[in-house]
Amino acid sequence: MLTSRTFLKRTRAGAVVKVVREHYLREDIPCGAAACRLCAPRPAGPGLGLEAQPSGAASSLCPGPHYLLPDTNLLLHQIDILEDPVIKNVIVLQTVLQEVRNRSAPVYKRIRDVIGNPEKHFYSFTNEHHRETYIEQEQGETSNDRNDRAIRVAVKWYNEHLKKIEDEEKIQVIFLTNDRTNKEKALEEGITAYTCEEYIKSLIANPDLVDRLACVSDEGKEIESGKIIFPEHIPLSKLQQGIKSGIYLQGTYRASRDNYLEATVWVHGDAEENREIIIQGLKHLNRAVHEDIVAVELLARDEWVAPSSVVLQDDGQNEDDIENEEEKENILKTSVNKDMLRPTGKVVGIIKRNWRPFCGMLSKSQIKEARRHLFTPADRRIPRIRIETRQAETLEGQRIVVAIDGWPRNSRYPNGHFVKNLGSAGDKETETEVLLLEHDVPHQPFSQGVLSFLPKMPWSITEQDMKCREDLRHLYVCSVDPPGCTDIDDALHCREVENGNIEVGVHIADVSHFIRPGNALDEESAKRGTTVYLCEKRIDMVPELLSSNLCSLRSNVDRLAFSCIWEMNHKAEILKTRFTKSIINSKASLTYAEAQMRIDSATMNDDITTSLRGLNKLAKILKKKRIDNGALTLSSPEVRFHMDSETHDPIDLQTKELKETNSMVEEFMLLANVSVAQKIYDEFPEFALLRKHPAPPPSNYDILVKAAKSQAIRPPCLFFPRGKREAPKSISNLEIKTDSAKALAESLDKAESPAFPYLNTLLRILTTRCMMQAVYFCSGMDNDFRHYGLASPIYTHFTSPIRRYADIIVHRLLAVAIGADSTYPELTDKHKLADMCKNLNYRHKMAQYAQRASVAFHTQLFFKSKGVVNEDAYILFVRKNAVVVLIPKYGLEGTVFFEEKGKPTPRLDYNNEVPSLTVEDTTLRVFDKVKVNIMLDASNIQHQKIRMVLVEPKVRHKICDSWNHITLRLS
């Protein structure tokens, strides 16, 4: 049967076209019930369909066998309930799926995953194409009302249809809806209908499932005081009009990690003016949550404020104590230099919520047998969440996941519901799961659908592979990597050719040979975006068969590669460049230390060692050229843990030592990336996937310039044994120029002090903090290609396709450019490439944060067994009530607080110009060297911190005449 609809549509060019939409209706769409013999067999696909005898939880409301059929809003808001293993045999209508897809992509993906789970017996019924369940929209009927009616029609059809099945016990379809009107209409039409809460509370053996109910309506759940705390949000339609007219600005809300009463909104669009807007104070924050898309109204200039330097954390237990909040807000309002004032605004409405499930811990109410408790998220940028649970005793001390349901105007905190228990806080497996979830790292095992696209084992290179590739197995190729590396992306060779020049080759694993465009393996790799390296485990972007075996360029096995080969003279000047798909056989898999030992050895002169020496010599020349061109050499302390072989606990913590061979490999990887970038851009000027590093705005350098000036005026205090202080000496040549990367690089090179050898490292660490994030982009969507840090006009990523999806795309582009592979539509669609770059940039950022969180957790484990440790530290940043210090030995950084609960606060005098902080009579400045005792404070199991006592300089607290204790929190 065929229905059609005709309407007129105006095109972008202004022409009017007639559109005819045909809608096919069928009679052979199966109902999905296993016991049904009336329908045609269910086509093969995800899931197993509905059980003949529905299993699952027993219900006091529906004692007989039944299937569930939820409406759209119930599925959107109660997805956590539907995902629970107890809930089985659910019919998901096409009408519902389409609405969910339009309204929430994350929920749509989750419900598709549930439908695909054979243990859940969820069935997707195509009611919009079934002759007996399709309905037309009536005149005057809204789309929403039509869809509600379509759902009720489908429920009635199912119940009539299932009655025809010749079975002893008839199966009923229960309609679940939280819409009061829809439920009333369903009951009038003879449909058995319940709210989600009614049905879940009727489950006999699963009382705890009630905790997972989302609090959809805030009516009746508001705090007793009823006092209005926040302004009302402006409706979305008015917000959009205001944004269009320029009254409001749209941007992404970023909460502060250090001050819960302050946030910034990054305004969308290209305008440089008012790019970043400061929001201060509870009412101005107005219930926005980190990463929400918000509308902001700018305040008058005389109300603008400066970014706060105070550290404030929401650690109060009383959720109604608004007066205390006002006191804390007054701390922010101090007189500042007019030059420091920034555009300031207030949140007037929410355009899009970006709420996700949050990990954290329950702060159990002090009221006996209370059901309402506060949940404290692990991420300090997220506000506390009020939840109702009957499991408080069980959940105390556990890491749990909670979702936000809403945030009424009269509640200090948002309302939410319990989702699941992850395990005991402090447990290594639990904490690793928390940091992966918190940083949105996809870490589920690869599905069978993905694994089905892997090569069948045993695998070997075929004659067909040999025809399309250059055989380079005779070359003395070797790889140089960190110890224990199994995913070897790159290998190198160097040899002298007949004309006296030097041939250098960079050989990269040919991952794109195994991962073909558009299949499930490709889609999963694209979604993951990058491999994530934690201290104890690796979350692979591609399955292990590829990452550690078939793609890994291990020694003494034939491997497929993509090679970039240069002919150079002895001055490292490139004479010729060529790219080829190849077959290599690495002659050695070396660590950086082993390669360095070969280069330095007076007795080793084999082919591999000769190749390494040639590479090292050329790398030094290449590095000098880069630096002469203005490339920056920055510093960032990296740490390496030594683990106990049995307990896997850290037993030693050291900063990583870099050797010449680290720099050698880096230089040739950079050169290959630049060469490939130029090649793919020449061939595909609109579709090249490139990587750029934007120049920082001048204001980013303020802290660096001030710190350097303060050292030129007065060098840092350096403390020595027995409390002696070195007499201050002036530091010459300490002027940091920031007008170009070259000027910055040269001034950093000159910033040396014999009396303070660590100064240059500190300046480079501080410079790293001033930098912008490097990002992927599509050449057809941008004009600025320059990589500021490398001083290169063009750059991409080609050298790590096992662990970066961007490199796989670059390999595909290069293969097409040299005629080694064919193109496909998505590869030459700049809008799709731009969307892909957006995901890759997000995944890379989250991977970095997850890695830092893993280092922080393992650092806590290390100090847990150490007791008190005394170490030197340097001050990196100065705040109004705290300083941030770096401990070079451990590469450990954190915030040192000068205020403690229950103890008198010392007199603090903050000077932003120097910058410095005077605590009583002791002045602390950026780069001052201090001595600290370090120990782990596990009193707050959720936010364990490193506690420090200042040893030098001694700060005498005048009120209580005792030594002031200060704490450090791992950043």
Side-chain angles (χ1 to χ4, degrees):
M1 184 179 169
L2 173 69
T3 67
S4 64
R5 189 160 64 95
T6 306
F7 59 94
L8 299 177
K9 180 182 175 184
R10 190 179 293 278
T11 66
R12 284 184 182 179
V16 176
V17 293
K18 183 179 179 181
V19 179
V20 179
R21 288 224 173 121
E22 295 182 336
H23 193 88
Y24 288 89
L25 300 179
R26 299 168 56 172
E27 296 180 344
D28 60 347
I29 297 171
C31 68
C36 181
R37 300 290 176 266
L38 304 171
C39 295
R42 197 175 70 84
L48 296 176
L50 306 164
E51 289 178 296
Q53 284 301 313
S55 63
S59 164
S60 58
L61 282 175
C62 321
H66 59 272
Y67 301 140
L68 301 174
L69 196 154
D71 71 359
T72 306
N73 282 325
L74 191 135
L75 200 151
L76 279 166
H77 298 296
Q78 306 292 353
I79 184 67
D80 291 322
I81 290 282
L82 295 173
E83 285 177 329
D84 194 279
V86 167
I87 305 299
K88 296 181 178 181
N89 293 290
V90 176
I91 301 161
V92 184
L93 297 180
Q94 180 189 3
T95 307
V96 172
L97 267 182
Q98 286 174 342
E99 281 198 281
V100 169
R101 187 177 191 173
N102 292 334
R103 289 168 62 181
S104 175
V107 174
Y108 177 74
K109 187 192 177 303
R110 287 169 71 181
I111 195 62
R112 294 299 318 184
D113 289 344
V114 174
I115 292 168
N117 182 353
E119 294 176 5
K120 291 283 286 175
H121 296 282
F122 274 49
Y123 178 65
S124 174
F125 178 62
T126 318
N127 65 305
E128 295 289 355
H129 289 277
H130 195 289
R131 189 171 63 83
E132 294 182 44
T133 56
Y134 172 75
I135 61 166
E136 293 277 1
Q137 186 170 347
E138 295 175 352
Q139 194 168 359
E141 189 177 39
T142 66
S143 296
N144 190 53
D145 287 344
R146 180 264 170 204
N147 289 344
D148 285 347
R149 187 162 60 89
I151 294 168
R152 295 196 301 273
V153 166
V155 178
K156 280 197 286 188
W157 177 84
Y158 255 105
N159 276 320
E160 290 299 321
H161 180 75
L162 295 175
K163 281 178 187 175
K164 299 172 187 175
I165 299 173
E166 295 177 5
D167 212 342
E168 290 180 13
E169 210 170 2
K170 300 300 180 190
I171 299 172
Q172 189 181 16
V173 173
I174 306 296
F175 179 38
L176 295 183
T177 178
N178 285 338
D179 184 321
R180 188 184 304 162
T181 307
N182 204 8
K183 184 187 171 189
E184 286 171 358
K185 286 183 178 178
L187 292 172
E188 286 171 12
E189 293 169 16
I191 297 169
T192 305
Y194 299 109
T195 65
C196 190
E197 187 171 355
E198 286 170 341
Y199 180 77
I200 295 303
K201 284 183 174 177
S202 78
L203 299 183
I204 296 163
N206 301 89
D208 293 343
L209 198 54
V210 174
D211 289 353
R212 300 189 71 177
L213 281 167
C215 173
V216 180
S217 171
D218 294 309
E219 292 174 16
K221 301 241 181 187
E222 295 166 354
I223 55 177
E224 282 72 6
S225 69
K227 181 182 176 184
I228 299 298
I229 301 169
F230 298 101
E232 192 171 355
H233 285 150
I234 295 170
L236 185 59
S237 57
K238 289 187 178 179
L239 288 179
Q240 289 167 339
Q241 290 172 11
I243 290 164
K244 201 171 182 180
S245 62
I247 299 171
Y248 308 129
L249 297 168
Q250 177 178 319
T252 303
Y253 179 90
R254 303 268 168 80
S256 167
R257 206 182 289 273
D258 295 322
N259 184 346
Y260 75 100
L261 291 175
E262 181 171 281
T264 53
V265 171
W266 288 83
V267 177
H268 301 166
D270 300 325
E272 288 298 319
E273 190 184 4
N274 299 336
R275 187 83 177 139
E276 184 183 350
I277 297 172
I278 295 174
I279 316 289
Q280 268 189 13
L282 204 60
K283 289 180 181 177
H284 285 173
L285 298 175
N286 197 7
R287 297 170 285 158
V289 176
H290 184 64
E291 293 294 341
D292 281 352
I293 308 297
V294 299
V296 174
E297 183 181 351
L298 271 180
L299 300 178
R301 277 186 174 269
D302 60 359
E303 294 182 74
W304 285 12
V305 298
S308 171
S309 297
V310 72
V311 178
L312 285 178
Q313 285 165 6
D314 183 10
D315 49 12
Q317 282 294 325
N318 186 354
E319 59 180 287
D320 302 330
D321 192 0
I322 302 304
E323 289 179 11
N324 185 38
E325 306 292 355
E326 289 169 0
E327 283 177 26
K328 288 184 177 180
E329 284 181 27
N330 289 331
I331 298 172
L332 307 178
K333 297 172 185 173
T334 54
S335 58
V336 290
N337 188 320
K338 281 187 178 180
D339 295 337
M340 294 173 64
L341 297 178
R342 297 284 182 270
T344 308
K346 61 181 179 181
V347 174
V348 294
I350 307 296
I351 293 162
K352 185 187 174 190
R353 288 290 194 189
N354 272 325
W355 294 342
R356 59 177 175 83
F358 301 104
C359 300
M361 293 184 72
L362 196 70
S363 302
K364 192 164 165 275
S365 172
Q366 302 301 311
I367 302 168
K368 195 176 180 183
E369 294 184 4
R371 286 191 185 178
R372 190 159 56 201
H373 309 271
L374 280 177
F375 163 83
T376 305
D379 187 342
R380 290 183 183 273
R381 295 169 299 185
I382 306 301
R384 291 169 162 209
I385 302 165
R386 189 152 45 93
I387 69 168
E388 289 192 19
T389 178
R390 309 172 185 202
Q391 307 175 65
E393 294 292 337
T394 310
L395 297 178
E396 199 172 13
Q398 301 287 297
R399 289 284 199 179
I400 64 173
V401 177
V402 161
I404 297 178
D405 299 324
W407 196 340
R409 291 175 62 200
N410 59 350
S411 174
R412 169 66 183 84
Y413 299 110
N415 294 329
H417 67 272
F418 167 76
V419 176
K420 64 179 173 180
N421 186 352
L422 297 174
S424 299
D427 174 74
K428 231 185 303 186
E429 287 298 317
T430 302
E431 296 300 332
T432 300
E433 179 72 8
V434 167
L435 73 88
L436 290 172
L437 288 170
E438 278 298 289
H439 297 99
D440 195 17
V441 175
H443 59 286
Q444 68 282 3
F446 290 98
S447 69
Q448 283 305 312
V450 169
L451 298 175
S452 68
F453 285 94
L454 291 174
K456 300 294 180 281
M457 298 300 286
W459 174 87
S460 62
I461 297 172
T462 65
E463 286 295 322
Q464 189 61 35
D465 295 329
M466 301 284 283
K467 285 178 186 174
C468 311
R469 295 173 181 273
E470 196 170 331
D471 192 342
L472 302 179
R473 287 176 289 185
H474 60 286
L475 295 176
Y476 285 91
V477 172
C478 69
S479 60
V480 184
D481 292 284
C485 177
T486 61
D487 52 342
I488 303 171
D489 283 290
D490 55 88
L492 299 152
H493 89 269
C494 175
R495 63 172 181 169
E496 194 166 301
V497 289
E498 290 178 1
N499 61 9
N501 291 329
I502 303 167
E503 180 187 271
V504 175
V506 166
H507 311 279
I508 305 301
D510 190 3
V511 182
S512 63
H513 173 84
F514 297 96
I515 300 180
R516 301 310 295 165
N519 67 26
L521 176 55
D522 182 46
E523 288 172 358
E524 181 66 21
S525 304
K527 186 184 87 171
R528 295 186 177 218
T530 181
T531 293
V532 182
Y533 294 90
L534 306 181
C535 293
E536 269 196 282
K537 68 190 293 187
R538 187 179 81 203
I539 314 296
D540 281 327
M541 181 185 80
V542 300
E544 191 177 14
L545 178 64
L546 297 183
S547 66
S548 297
N549 187 352
L550 301 185
C551 291
S552 184
L553 304 182
R554 301 186 300 183
S555 56
N556 302 313
V557 288
D558 292 350
R559 287 290 178 257
L560 303 180
F562 210 150
S563 300
C564 174
I565 300 171
W566 304 277
E567 188 178 324
M568 299 180 175
N569 60 24
H570 289 266
K571 295 178 183 177
E573 293 168 339
I574 298 171
L575 307 174
K576 289 179 190 173
T577 305
R578 67 188 180 93
F579 307 97
T580 180
K581 291 260 186 169
S582 61
I583 300 171
I584 65 165
N585 187 300
S586 173
K587 303 300 185 282
S589 298
L590 306 173
T591 65
Y592 290 114
E594 288 167 347
Q596 192 66 55
M597 184 193 71
R598 280 174 174 261
I599 291 169
D600 297 339
S601 171
T603 58
M604 297 187 76
N605 291 296
D606 57 276
D607 291 314
I608 289 292
T609 304
T610 304
S611 176
L612 286 168
R613 287 181 184 139
L615 289 166
N616 197 40
K617 185 179 177 182
L618 290 169
K620 288 177 181 178
I621 301 169
L622 289 169
K623 185 172 184 177
K624 184 179 184 304
K625 283 182 185 177
R626 273 198 316 109
I627 291 169
D628 290 346
N629 285 336
L632 296 173
T633 307
L634 302 179
S635 182
S636 182
E638 287 189 67
V639 298
R640 179 180 293 283
F641 292 93
H642 296 276
M643 302 291 186
D644 185 287
S645 58
E646 290 182 8
T647 64
H648 298 286
D649 286 338
I651 53 175
D652 196 11
L653 172 60
Q654 298 172 339
T655 51
K656 290 181 183 176
E657 181 190 349
L658 298 180
K659 301 184 180 294
E660 264 187 11
T661 45
N662 290 81
S663 178
M664 175 190 81
V665 172
E666 181 187 20
E667 286 306 316
F668 286 107
M669 297 305 113
L670 293 175
L671 187 62
N673 288 335
V674 170
S675 298
V676 171
Q678 193 62 59
K679 178 67 176 176
I680 62 172
Y681 178 64
D682 289 344
E683 293 289 333
F684 305 106
E686 289 290 303
F687 316 120
L689 192 155
L690 303 175
R691 187 165 175 82
K692 69 173 181 177
H693 182 213
S699 60
N700 277 30
Y701 288 121
D702 287 352
I703 184 68
L704 175 68
V705 172
K706 283 179 183 178
K709 276 183 182 174
S710 74
Q711 303 314 305
I713 297 165
R714 185 221 58 101
C717 297
L718 303 175
F719 294 93
F720 291 89
R722 298 179 187 174
K724 293 180 181 177
R725 294 179 67 173
E726 185 187 77
K729 297 175 185 175
S730 61
I731 301 174
S732 58
N733 301 325
L734 197 52
E735 182 187 0
I736 302 296
K737 296 178 180 177
T738 61
D739 38 346
S740 71
K742 188 171 174 64
L744 176 60
E746 287 173 352
S747 55
L748 284 172
D749 288 341
K750 292 176 184 174
E752 298 281 356
S753 168
F756 187 12
Y758 200 64
L759 172 65
N760 192 264
T761 302
L762 287 170
L763 284 167
R764 291 184 192 275
I765 290 171
L766 211 54
T767 305
T768 306
R769 307 301 163 86
C770 301
M771 293 295 120
M772 304 291 283
Q773 187 81 30
V775 291
Y776 297 111
F777 69 101
C778 174
S779 58
M781 304 290 281
D782 210 324
N783 296 319
D784 178 20
F785 293 7
R786 189 165 181 78
H787 196 294
Y788 180 81
L790 297 174
S792 175
I794 194 166
Y795 191 68
T796 193
H797 273 163
F798 164 75
T799 54
S800 296
I802 294 177
R803 59 185 178 90
R804 292 188 304 232
Y805 188 76
D807 302 52
I808 293 177
I809 296 296
V810 169
H811 276 228
R812 290 174 182 169
L813 286 165
L814 183 61
V816 175
I818 65 170
D821 206 343
S822 55
T823 188
Y824 57 98
E826 288 77 12
L827 196 62
T828 53
D829 184 330
K830 62 184 180 182
H831 296 286
K832 287 189 176 174
L833 280 172
D835 288 342
M836 183 188 295
C837 289
K838 188 177 178 182
N839 177 61
L840 293 175
N841 291 329
Y842 171 73
R843 291 296 175 201
H844 277 257
K845 182 174 70 174
M846 289 296 106
Q848 285 181 334
Y849 291 163
Q851 284 156 208
R852 289 176 198 165
S854 180
V855 168
F857 174 64
H858 281 79
T859 303
Q860 291 169 359
L861 289 179
F862 172 73
F863 282 106
K864 189 176 183 179
S865 60
K866 287 291 173 186
V868 179
V869 178
N870 181 272
E871 287 298 339
D872 292 336
Y874 291 95
I875 296 172
L876 272 185
F877 303 101
V878 175
R879 306 281 186 241
K880 279 185 181 176
N881 61 345
V883 292
V884 178
V885 300
L886 172 73
I887 301 164
K889 181 176 177 181
Y890 300 125
L892 175 65
E893 185 185 317
T895 306
V896 180
F897 295 94
F898 290 95
E899 296 172 327
E900 283 192 84
K901 265 189 174 181
K903 293 190 179 181
T905 302
R907 180 168 46 85
L908 302 173
D909 184 16
Y910 172 71
N911 184 336
N912 182 64
E913 292 302 314
V914 174
S916 68
L917 179 67
T918 302
V919 187
E920 296 295 347
D921 295 326
T922 304
T923 300
L924 300 170
R925 296 177 176 85
V926 173
F927 298 161
D928 274 2
K929 186 177 182 182
V930 296
K931 270 193 176 293
V932 291
N933 283 341
I934 316 163
M935 68 210 79
L936 180 70
D937 177 5
S939 58
N940 180 342
I941 195 165
Q942 160 120 297
H943 293 122
Q944 294 193 27
K945 56 192 175 187
I946 303 296
R947 186 170 178 79
M948 303 175 68
V949 177
L950 198 65
V951 178
E952 289 286 357
K954 292 177 180 176
V955 179
R956 184 174 290 276
H957 200 303
K958 293 195 172 178
I959 298 174
C960 59
D961 198 35
S962 65
W963 303 120
N964 184 48
H965 288 232
I966 55 182
T967 62
L968 176 149
R969 176 177 56 77
L970 287 175
S971 295

